[in-house]
Amino acid sequence: MSLIRVQQVSIAFGPTTILDNVSLTIEAGARMALVGRNGEGKSTLLKIIAGQLIPDTGEVITRSGVNAAYLPQAVPTDFQGSIYEVVASGLDSIGAVLAEFHRESERLGEGHEKSESGKPLIDHLAALQDKIDANDGWSLIQVVEQTLSKMQLDANTDVQSLSGGMKRRVVLARALVTNPDVLLLDEPTNHLDIGAVAWLEKHLATLKCALIFVTHDRKFLDSVANHICEIDRGNLTEWPSGFAAYRINKAQALEVEAQQNALFDKKLAQEEAWIRQGIKARRTRNEGRVRALKKLREQHAARRKVIGKASMSVNQAENSGKIVFETKDVSVSFGDKNIIAPLSTVIMRDDRIGIIGPNGCGKSTLVKLLVNELEPTSGSVHTGTQLEVAYYDQLRAALDTKLSAADNVSGGRDTVEVNGAPRHIMSYMQDFLFEPSRARAPITALSGGEMGRLMLAKLFLKPSNLIVLDEPSNDLDIETLELLEALLGEYKGTVILISHDRELLENVVTRSFVYQGNGRFIDVAGGYEDFERERANSNTLKPVFETSPVLQPAGGSSTAVSKPAGSEKNQDKAENKKKLTYAETLELEKLPAEINILEADIAAIHEKMNEPDFYTDKAAADSKIKEAGELQAKLDTMYERWELLEERQ
C-alpha cells in the first residue's frame, strides 16, 4: 500500500539541476536509504517529501490520513525547556497542555501548594485534567512516557544542557510520539557515538512505520536498509536490495553505461566525419541523416558525465624512531573529575591505533596528551625521535574563515609541493573534487562534506610520519571514506584514529584503546568488531554503550561513570517503589474503564467474524481482522501498565 508518491519532481538551484524528473513511491513498512555523493540532492528530496521545500515541477501525493515525521540533518537550536516539554510539543496544542500538567504534577510531588501562575495547585491541575479529558489526552501521556523510557531520556532535564548527540535523540523522540506512518531521517547517525548508533539501529528495527533515511554510515546501511534509492546526476534509481548487493549491481551498471557511451561517441564521430565529407562531395544531402546528427549532438550535450573520484596522496616524511609514544601512569584531571585514568602504554612505528568511546569520554583529550598539546596531571609522556605530525582536528580550527578554500590549503601560493614535485593549486584542489569556482569560494560557502575534504587536502600536504585523525568521517560521503581507508592502508607511518564509524575502524586499525568508564582506557588487539568478540567471551569487559552516561550536559564533565554490577535491578526496584505522581494516580483510576471498553470492542469484532457472510467481502474482512489485532495489542499494553501502576501503588 503506497503512503506517499513523488511524481516527476524537478528542482534547480541557480544553473544546476539537482533533481531531474524524479519519481518515488514509499510503501507501508519500507526501509529505504537515499545514497549518493555530497550535494546530489538527498537532503533536498527529503525536504520535498516532508513538505518543507516546494519543487519547481512535479508533485508529492500523500495518502489521506498519513502522518509523516521529519528529522532534519541539523539539530534545531531553538528548543527551550525540559525534555518532556520538547518531546510533547510534537503533539501540537495538546502537547503544551500535557507538558504543563507534567510540570505542575512535579510541583505537587515536591510539596508546592501554588501553581506557576500563582493559582491553587489542585484547582489548576483539575482544570488541566478537564482539557486532557476533552482531547483524549491520557493515552498520549502514556505514549510520551513510554517513548522517553525507550530512548533513555530524563523527562526533567533542560534540553539546552545536552550534548549534540543527546539533542538529536530528543528530536527523534519528538518525531516518534506523533506515531508517524512515515519517518524521514536526514543523517541520524551524524555526531552520534558507537553506542548511540547501535541503539538507534535496534530501535528502528522495532518501529512499524515506513522509514526513508540518508546516512553515510555503511554498517548502519547494511543493518537497516532493504531498499536503496540512489541519486546520481539528478536521476533517481531504485535498487530493491540491501547495501552490499547494491554496490555490486551499481558497479556493473556503471560498466554498461561506459560501454554504451563509448558506442554512442563512436557513432557521433562517424556522423560528424560524414557530414564534413558530404559538404565537399555533394550538393544535396540526406536531410533525415542530418536531423539525426543534430539529435545526437543534443543528446551528447545533455549528458551528465560521471563525476571523477577524488585522488588523494600524502606527503611522506622520513621514518620516525621505532618508539613513537611511551606513557607511564599518565593521567588528566579537572578538579576532582578524573578524565584520563593512569595509563601506561607504548605506541610503535607503523601502529594503527583506534580510540573508541562515547562522546565526551576524553578521546580527544587523550590524543592532545600524546602530541604534547596538553600537560598531564600526573605521569609522563615520552615522544619518539624525528616525529612529524599531521593533525586532523574535528573542530577544523586549522581553517581560516577569511580565506578561500584554495588559499587555506596553499597559504596564498599558486603552487604546492606534492611528494617533491610542484603542482598548481587548482590542479591539486581538483584531486579533492574542488572545481576552480568552488576552490576560489570562501569556506563559509562550503558544505560539511566539502569542509571535510578541504581539511584532508590541507592535512596531506604536510610531510608526516604520524597522522592523527579526530572524527574525519563526519559529513564525508561513502566514496571519499573508502578512498581515505585505502590511503591510510598504504601510508608508511603511524596512524591514530578517533572515529564512531565502525567500518572505518574495522578496515584501518590494528590496535584499539577502548573506553571502559571512569576515565579508564584499555588496550586491545584489532578494531571495534574484534573488541566485541573478545567482550562476548569476557566477564570483565564492558560494552562501549554501557560506559556512556544516559545524559551528558554540553561542556560538563567528560567523565563517564560506569554502572556497578546489579545497579539496573536495584534501579528497577527503586522505580517500582517510588510513589505515584498525581498524573499516574488519575491514569490508574481510568484504566479499568478503558480496558472494559477495549474488551467489548474486541468481543464485538469476534462476533462478526463468526457470522457466515463475514468473509464475502475480503477487503472489509481483512480490515476488521487488522483492527482486532491493533486493539488486542493496545489492550495488552494497558494491562501491563495497569499491573505496573498497581504494584507501585
Side-chain angles (χ1 to χ4, degrees):
M1 177 176 60
S2 65
L3 303 177
I4 298 177
R5 283 185 293 137
V6 179
Q7 293 187 335
Q8 300 296 306
V9 160
S10 296
I11 192 169
F13 298 125
T16 305
T17 299
I18 302 298
L19 300 175
D20 190 5
N21 289 322
V22 164
S23 295
L24 178 68
T25 300
I26 302 176
E27 303 281 348
R31 291 288 184 270
M32 307 172 80
L34 289 176
V35 301
R37 282 188 168 176
N38 291 330
E40 286 286 358
K42 303 183 296 295
S43 296
T44 299
L45 180 56
L46 276 189
K47 288 178 182 176
I48 289 174
I49 295 172
Q52 298 201 354
L53 195 61
I54 305 300
D56 298 333
T57 61
E59 60 180 343
V60 177
I61 301 172
T62 303
R63 192 167 64 84
S64 177
V66 167
N67 173 28
Y70 170 60
L71 179 69
Q73 183 173 351
V75 177
T77 57
D78 56 347
F79 286 142
Q80 301 290 334
S82 69
I83 289 178
Y84 192 101
E85 290 169 331
V86 172
V87 172
S89 68
L91 299 170
D92 299 325
S93 58
I94 187 61
V97 177
L98 300 185
E100 186 177 1
F101 186 80
H102 174 79
R103 285 197 311 272
E104 300 293 13
S105 298
E106 291 292 318
R107 288 175 61 81
L108 183 66
E110 293 167 1
H112 292 275
E113 296 182 356
K114 297 287 187 181
S115 69
E116 292 177 343
S117 60
K119 299 177 182 178
L121 191 50
I122 294 295
D123 295 342
H124 188 52
L125 283 170
L128 291 173
Q129 179 185 344
D130 291 339
K131 290 182 181 179
I132 295 172
D133 283 333
N135 291 275
D136 192 24
W138 297 109
S139 60
L140 295 178
I141 287 180
Q142 186 176 338
V143 169
V144 172
E145 291 177 350
Q146 287 178 344
T147 303
L148 292 174
S149 175
K150 287 179 182 177
M151 303 192 73
Q152 302 175 15
L153 294 170
D154 182 353
N156 299 317
T157 299
D158 189 345
V159 170
Q160 292 300 319
S161 70
L162 301 180
S163 66
M166 291 306 301
K167 285 180 180 177
R168 182 171 290 276
R169 190 180 291 195
V170 172
V171 178
L172 179 59
R174 182 176 181 268
L176 292 177
V177 295
T178 64
N179 191 24
D181 302 295
V182 180
L183 184 59
L184 309 169
L185 304 177
D186 194 355
E187 295 285 7
T189 62
N190 248 16
H191 307 288
L192 293 184
D193 56 41
I194 287 179
V197 173
W199 171 87
L200 182 59
E201 284 179 3
K202 294 177 181 177
H203 186 70
L204 292 178
T206 66
L207 300 181
K208 297 179 181 179
C209 62
L211 177 66
I212 180 165
F213 63 96
V214 175
T215 186
H216 299 308
D217 187 314
R218 291 158 290 175
K219 287 277 188 183
F220 188 84
L221 276 169
D222 273 330
S223 173
V224 178
N226 58 19
H227 192 106
I228 304 296
C229 303
E230 180 197 38
I231 302 179
D232 182 18
R233 291 162 283 168
N235 297 315
L236 186 143
T237 307
E238 295 188 54
W239 307 81
S241 64
F243 183 64
Y246 150 77
R247 300 179 74 174
I248 297 172
N249 295 331
K250 175 62 178 176
Q252 295 172 346
L254 286 175
E255 288 182 12
V256 172
E257 180 183 350
Q259 293 170 0
Q260 291 174 343
N261 286 342
L263 292 173
F264 181 94
D265 293 345
K266 182 179 179 180
K267 182 177 181 180
L268 178 60
Q270 291 171 344
E271 294 302 291
E272 293 285 6
W274 166 80
I275 199 165
R276 288 193 297 271
Q277 182 64 32
I279 292 173
K280 296 177 182 178
R282 297 183 300 278
R283 291 184 179 179
T284 61
R285 292 174 294 174
N286 183 336
E287 292 301 323
R289 193 169 179 180
V290 172
R291 287 193 296 271
L293 173 58
K294 289 181 179 179
K295 189 173 182 180
L296 288 175
R297 288 172 175 170
E298 291 170 358
Q299 291 173 352
H300 185 269
R303 181 198 299 171
R304 297 178 67 171
K305 297 180 181 179
V306 177
I307 301 172
K309 292 186 177 181
S311 175
M312 302 180 189
S313 61
V314 181
N315 275 347
Q316 294 275 171
E318 294 294 324
N319 285 344
S320 66
K322 188 174 182 181
I323 293 178
V324 177
F325 296 114
E326 182 176 5
T327 69
K328 293 183 178 179
D329 294 324
V330 68
S331 67
V332 175
S333 299
F334 295 150
D336 59 348
K337 301 295 184 182
N338 203 25
I339 308 304
I340 304 295
L343 175 67
S344 298
T345 190
V346 177
I347 297 176
M348 307 296 291
R349 183 176 63 219
D350 297 334
D351 273 348
R352 280 157 168 71
I353 307 293
I355 302 181
I356 303 172
N359 288 331
C361 74
K363 301 185 297 297
S364 298
T365 300
L366 177 57
V367 166
K368 290 176 181 177
L369 195 65
L370 294 175
V371 299
N372 291 323
E373 285 194 10
L374 184 68
E375 288 294 323
T377 304
S378 63
S380 62
V381 179
H382 171 71
T383 302
T385 59
Q386 297 180 315
L387 204 59
E388 297 289 341
V389 183
Y391 188 7
Y392 182 107
D393 176 15
Q394 66 166 318
L395 300 179
R396 296 162 181 167
L399 298 178
D400 189 340
T401 56
K402 299 176 183 177
L403 300 178
S404 68
D407 286 345
N408 260 288
V409 173
S410 69
R413 301 186 302 274
D414 289 335
T415 60
V416 293
E417 189 172 298
V418 180
N419 288 325
R423 289 273 307 274
H424 193 277
I425 182 59
M426 291 303 168
S427 171
Y428 178 72
M429 293 295 284
Q430 286 181 336
D431 287 351
F432 292 82
L433 302 181
F434 285 97
E435 295 298 324
S437 60
R438 297 301 285 170
R440 296 189 185 97
I443 66 170
T444 52
L446 302 182
S447 67
E450 287 173 322
M451 290 280 277
R453 292 203 306 271
L454 182 64
M455 278 289 293
L456 294 176
K458 182 178 177 70
L459 180 80
F460 292 156
L461 274 182
K462 179 177 173 25
S464 67
N465 47 38
L466 167 64
I467 290 181
V468 179
L469 300 167
D470 191 350
E471 298 284 7
S473 58
N474 286 342
D475 302 313
L476 291 182
D477 59 38
I478 291 172
E479 285 188 10
T480 308
L481 275 174
E482 291 177 341
L483 184 62
L484 177 62
E485 282 178 5
L487 185 145
L488 293 176
E490 297 170 359
Y491 180 64
K492 297 177 181 178
T494 308
V495 176
I496 298 178
L497 172 65
I498 299 175
S499 181
H500 299 306
D501 188 312
R502 293 161 291 176
E503 188 83 2
L504 182 64
L505 288 166
E506 193 66 19
N507 294 338
V508 171
V509 307
T510 56
R511 285 173 63 192
S512 296
F513 294 163
V514 183
Y515 185 72
Q516 289 288 281
N518 291 326
R520 188 170 69 94
F521 286 85
I522 59 169
D523 189 347
V524 299
Y528 176 72
E529 298 294 338
D530 297 296
F531 166 73
E532 283 296 294
R533 282 191 288 271
E534 184 176 343
R535 184 191 65 78
N537 298 319
S538 170
N539 294 324
T540 58
L541 295 180
K542 300 174 185 176
V544 174
F545 60 85
E546 278 192 9
T547 64
S548 174
V550 173
L551 291 169
Q552 171 146 340
S557 164
S558 298
T559 305
V561 181
S562 59
K563 299 177 183 178
S567 65
E568 290 184 0
K569 292 180 181 178
N570 294 336
Q571 184 178 348
D572 290 341
K573 290 178 181 177
E575 190 69 27
N576 286 339
K577 292 179 181 178
K578 192 166 61 176
K579 186 178 178 182
L580 292 182
T581 65
Y582 181 67
E584 289 170 333
T585 302
L586 292 175
E587 182 186 355
L588 180 58
E589 292 174 359
K590 289 176 174 292
L591 273 173
E594 292 176 354
I595 287 173
N596 288 337
I597 293 172
L598 270 181
E599 289 178 338
D601 291 342
I602 294 171
I605 294 175
H606 286 170
E607 283 184 15
K608 288 186 178 180
M609 291 171 64
N610 292 328
E611 294 175 2
D613 59 346
F614 176 76
Y615 293 96
T616 54
D617 186 341
K618 187 177 184 303
D622 290 344
S623 176
K624 280 293 179 185
I625 292 171
K626 181 181 178 182
E627 182 185 354
E630 292 172 349
L631 291 176
Q632 186 62 51
K634 189 175 180 181
L635 180 63
D636 294 341
T637 303
M638 280 190 174
Y639 269 121
E640 290 175 6
R641 180 68 173 169
W642 190 19
E643 289 174 7
L644 175 62
L645 294 178
E646 283 279 5
E647 182 180 350
R648 283 177 53 191
Q649 190 185 47

